[in-house]
């Protein structure tokens, strides 16, 4: 695999190769997050949607550079450079985001 590329699998066992992106969003981010459902016991959280008018949707519509935006279906690989989030539950991810006093959150997807 190329550096900066990761393979992820969904509950339907589809495999796809995605380019890793580092994105900084203002809070509230306007993301709809869901836990990865896996029969293999894997954890993690992915972006299930975006709230219209939220920071993520605004960035996506204003920014033509696909390297600087998050997309529905992206898996959270790190939050503020903490890659342990790949094994966190949705509740742990939300606690980490909400508990962060910064106005912006850095996501690796």
């Amino acid at each position: 695999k190329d550096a900066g590329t990761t393979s992820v699998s969904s509950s339907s066992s589809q495999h796809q190769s995605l380019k890793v992106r580092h994105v900084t969003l203002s809070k509230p981010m306007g993301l709809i997050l869901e836990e990865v459902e896996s029969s293999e016991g894997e954890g993690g959280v992915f972006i299930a949607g975006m709230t219209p008018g939220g920071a993520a949707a605004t960035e996506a519509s204003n920014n033509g550079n696909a390297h600087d935006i998050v997309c529905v279906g992206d898996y959270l690989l790190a939050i503020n450079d903490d890659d342990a989030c790949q094994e966190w539950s949705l509740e742990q991810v939300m606690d980490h985001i909400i508990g962060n006093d910064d106005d912006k959150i850095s996501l690796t997807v």
Side-chain angles (χ1 to χ4, degrees), residues 26-104:
S26 298
K27 289 172 38 177
M29 297 183 299
L31 294 175
I32 300 166
L33 304 175
E34 290 187 13
E35 263 185 79
V36 174
E37 293 183 23
S38 171
S39 59
E40 299 160 9
E42 297 172 359
V45 173
F46 69 98
I47 299 169
M50 292 184 224
T51 305
T58 301
E59 281 292 318
S61 66
N62 291 341
N63 192 340
N65 186 353
H67 300 290
D68 296 333
I69 62 172
V70 295
C71 299
V72 172
D74 283 346
Y75 288 76
L76 294 184
L77 303 176
I79 300 171
N80 292 335
D81 296 323
D82 188 344
D83 64 359
C85 78
Q86 294 180 55
E87 299 175 11
W88 292 349
S89 68
L90 177 60
E91 184 177 348
Q92 290 170 304
V93 167
M94 294 306 296
D95 287 346
H96 191 80
I97 292 170
I98 293 167
N100 186 307
D101 291 333
D102 293 336
D103 291 337
K104 295 189 177 201

